[in-house]
Amino acid sequence: MNNPGFIDKNRPVQQKYHELLDRIDQESMSRQKVIKLMRRLIDQDPDFSDPYLYLHEIYQYDNKLAKANQILDTAFDHAIKLITNKKGEWPEALHWGWTENRHIIRTILNKALTEWDQGNNDQAMELLRKLLKTNPHDNVGARHYILAIRLGFTMAGFEDRFNKGGYYNNDLNEWFDEHASHYPEEFEWWFKKMEKQGI
């Protein structure tokens, strides 16, 4: 990584979060108890996003969409505040390779996908383009979502087409390689960067 860019600080609550995930797997814990314990972690460090994202999933599963959106928005506001300067500008780089950054990137991606799912394509594209620009190795697949939106996919349509039961296989990369060249204004810089790095 030539430019390390933004690196979040080490957050002790992260270990507590993963310990809680292990407990949830091992114990038959009630949903209310899980929610309570996740909220306790949020109180300990409001800038660590993963407990918000866990609650977001719970509320989505329970079809409490207003609550789900509200908690995602709170996580997103914290994430953006962490990475932007006083002018609201993003860092040059926000690499997934720094594990400290992953909770932030996951939050921004979740926000982008929620905007897309709700038909707010411009807002989704703005976030996805910034994610790709600051993390060109694109471990979260922002480029695939950008292309899908340009091609007129809904999020549900994209998932129906490519999600193979919780994972995406090489079909997705082949589809991207086939269609991305039609949008040089979107991806030419990315292909050049990958070529330069021998990827």
Side-chain angles (χ1 to χ4, degrees):
M1 284 176 216
N2 297 335
N3 176 7
F6 178 88
I7 307 170
D8 194 24
K9 68 181 186 180
N10 180 45
R11 297 184 180 277
V13 76
Q14 184 170 0
Q15 187 177 343
K16 294 181 184 178
Y17 172 74
H18 288 291
E19 287 168 0
L20 177 55
L21 292 187
D22 289 340
R23 278 184 61 199
I24 291 168
D25 283 343
Q26 291 162 14
E27 302 172 22
S28 53
M29 204 180 282
S30 74
R31 187 158 296 200
Q32 283 314 111
K33 187 173 181 184
V34 172
I35 290 170
K36 183 181 174 183
L37 292 173
M38 287 292 171
R39 289 198 175 275
R40 191 176 292 168
L41 292 180
I42 289 169
D43 289 341
Q44 288 174 29
D45 186 351
D47 285 333
F48 180 61
S49 299
D50 284 345
Y52 295 95
L53 299 182
Y54 197 96
L55 291 177
H56 176 248
E57 274 190 39
I58 287 178
Y59 293 136
Q60 275 195 314
Y61 185 82
D62 290 345
N63 211 29
K64 296 178 177 175
L65 300 184
K67 219 166 186 178
N69 286 338
Q70 183 184 30
I71 202 142
L72 178 59
D73 285 346
T74 304
F76 177 75
D77 290 344
H78 280 275
I80 293 298
K81 196 171 179 181
L82 280 176
I83 65 168
T84 54
N85 62 21
K86 288 177 181 176
K87 295 179 183 173
E89 297 165 331
W90 279 44
E92 277 187 49
L94 180 66
H95 292 297
W96 179 265
W98 301 108
T99 55
E100 298 92 334
N101 288 343
R102 292 182 184 179
H103 71 110
I104 296 169
I105 294 170
R106 276 193 288 266
T107 300
I108 296 167
L109 181 68
N110 266 274
K111 177 64 174 170
L113 296 182
T114 298
E115 294 288 3
W116 181 22
D117 195 34
Q118 294 173 354
N120 303 320
N121 290 1
D122 290 345
Q123 292 91 322
M125 286 290 265
E126 182 185 353
L127 294 175
L128 291 166
R129 285 171 179 143
K130 285 177 176 175
L131 280 177
L132 184 58
K133 205 80 174 173
T134 54
N135 182 41
H137 284 278
D138 195 27
N139 317 72
V140 296
R143 68 189 184 279
H144 300 134
Y145 300 126
I146 291 168
L147 179 59
I149 293 171
R150 290 297 304 264
L151 286 169
F153 277 76
T154 61
M155 186 180 160
F158 177 86
E159 290 296 299
D160 285 346
R161 168 75 170 78
F162 295 109
N163 192 323
K164 311 295 182 187
Y167 70 95
Y168 304 96
N169 63 16
N170 204 44
D171 178 33
L172 180 58
N173 288 322
E174 289 172 1
W175 167 83
F176 179 82
D177 291 341
E178 182 184 346
H179 295 284
S181 59
H182 300 304
Y183 298 95
E185 72 283 5
E186 208 69 78
F187 299 113
E188 190 172 8
W189 71 270
W190 183 81
F191 280 117
K192 282 179 179 172
K193 197 171 189 78
M194 294 300 103
E195 189 179 347
K196 193 176 177 184
Q197 294 181 9
I199 295 171

